[in-house]
Amino acid sequence: MASKREQQQELNDALVRAVEQGSLADIQSLLDQQADINALDINTHYTPLHHASSRGHHQCVELLLDRHANINAHDRTNNTPLHHASSYGHHQCVELLLDRHAEIDARNSLKHTPLHVASSGGHHQCIELLLDRHADIDARNPNNKRTALHLASLNGHHQCVELLLGRHADVHVRDNNKRTPLHLASLNGHHQCVELLLDRQADVDARGRDSFTALHDASMYGHHQCIELLLDRHADIDARGRDTRTALHHASMYGHHQCVELLLDRHADIH
């Protein structure tokens, strides 16, 4: 015969399975049998609410919250259920958690807020919900000083960039390498983000710690559409980085012939 502790563990394990499957009736029954609503997974430290939030089972989230699940429980990497719902783009779960006063600017082990993870993942509906509830739009990760706008720009999520800019995110903010969102969008060739940032008066010639401009970054990685946009907005074509190289030097060094041709057509200094 199983010990009381083993019986409790069986109930807890069954509760997690029911949550993963989205089975409301089984969840209700297991909770009535005294399954632990806040039981921690031995490996991840997920609670049933973490599981429901990460899988987007909003009816399960609601049931667990009605039964007083810990809304701000932390898993092994300090993610809350709101982090999980925001990270996976489950906006209905995000809304439910916010309605029940989940901690909106909680930090996980990487020092990301729910707004950071939603922006990194490109989940504009979650971003909108978080901002409507006064999430800190310019919250900076203390490890790298990046904001939600940095992350959306880095990953090319132009809808998110547009939304964040529309809510007055700081377009000039710099990370710990003194890079702006424009640098990061240019670095990865996200021309739609570049255009949006420039439309909101991003400094086209802002210099990072290495004295590179966005034009240097776009040229180094061969992003000719970004180069064209930056030049159309009067980027300094002959700006020199700390290494004394220009955008033309970088495009030539890395063999980006289309970028070289574009820069020469715009009268870049060949010396």
Side-chain angles (χ1 to χ4, degrees):
M1 182 176 177
S3 68
K4 188 172 181 180
R5 183 175 180 177
E6 289 170 333
Q7 290 174 345
Q8 184 65 57
Q9 188 60 54
E10 287 175 7
L11 281 173
N12 296 347
D13 291 344
L15 178 59
V16 169
R17 289 194 298 273
V19 169
E20 289 177 338
Q21 294 163 7
S23 176
L24 292 172
D26 287 343
I27 294 169
Q28 186 76 56
S29 173
L30 289 160
L31 290 175
D32 288 343
Q33 296 174 60
Q34 306 305 311
D36 184 354
I37 199 168
N38 293 314
L40 297 178
D41 180 277
I42 192 169
N43 295 313
T44 63
H45 282 193
Y46 283 15
T47 65
L49 187 58
H50 282 107
H51 284 290
S53 300
S54 65
R55 290 173 180 264
H57 296 318
H58 62 94
Q59 290 175 305
C60 299
V61 168
E62 187 169 23
L63 173 56
L64 291 166
L65 291 174
D66 285 344
R67 297 291 292 261
H68 309 296
N70 182 358
I71 196 169
N72 292 316
H74 289 82
D75 66 13
R76 192 172 288 282
T77 53
N78 280 336
N79 286 298
T80 64
L82 185 58
H83 278 103
H84 281 279
S86 301
S87 180
Y88 290 105
H90 300 312
H91 61 92
Q92 289 171 299
C93 296
V94 168
E95 187 166 19
L96 279 166
L97 291 161
L98 291 174
D99 283 345
R100 305 295 182 94
H101 309 293
E103 186 180 349
I104 199 166
D105 291 321
R107 302 270 184 169
N108 63 16
S109 295
L110 295 176
K111 306 304 180 186
H112 286 140
T113 66
L115 182 61
H116 286 135
V117 297
S119 300
S120 185
H123 304 305
H124 62 93
Q125 288 173 296
C126 296
I127 291 172
E128 191 163 15
L129 285 165
L130 290 161
L131 293 178
D132 284 346
R133 304 299 180 90
H134 311 295
D136 184 354
I137 195 170
D138 290 320
R140 303 177 76 166
N141 185 316
N143 294 330
N144 57 24
K145 305 300 183 188
R146 288 182 178 172
T147 65
L149 185 59
H150 276 113
L151 296 170
S153 301
L154 175 69
N155 291 300
H157 301 308
H158 62 92
Q159 285 179 297
C160 301
V161 168
E162 187 169 21
L163 176 56
L164 290 161
L165 290 172
R167 300 293 188 95
H168 310 294
D170 183 357
V171 74
H172 303 298
V173 67
R174 293 174 180 267
D175 66 13
N176 62 353
N177 288 315
K178 296 189 177 178
R179 281 192 159 130
T180 65
L182 182 62
H183 280 105
L184 299 183
S186 301
L187 183 73
N188 284 335
H190 301 310
H191 61 92
Q192 290 171 297
C193 297
V194 168
E195 188 167 19
L196 285 165
L197 292 161
L198 291 171
D199 284 345
R200 297 302 180 100
Q201 286 73 54
D203 182 354
V204 72
D205 290 322
R207 291 177 179 265
R209 191 179 300 280
D210 47 16
S211 287
F212 288 170
T213 64
L215 185 60
H216 282 104
D217 289 333
S219 301
M220 189 182 302
Y221 290 95
H223 302 309
H224 64 92
Q225 288 174 296
C226 295
I227 292 172
E228 191 163 11
L229 281 166
L230 292 162
L231 292 175
D232 285 345
R233 304 299 180 95
H234 311 295
D236 182 353
I237 199 169
D238 296 319
R240 293 181 182 268
R242 184 177 293 170
D243 60 3
T244 74
R245 294 188 175 110
T246 65
L248 182 59
H249 287 127
H250 285 295
S252 302
M253 186 164 54
Y254 291 102
H256 303 307
H257 62 89
Q258 194 172 6
C259 301
V260 170
E261 186 174 0
L262 176 57
L263 289 161
L264 289 174
D265 284 346
R266 299 295 187 96
H267 310 296
D269 186 347
I270 62 172
H271 300 295

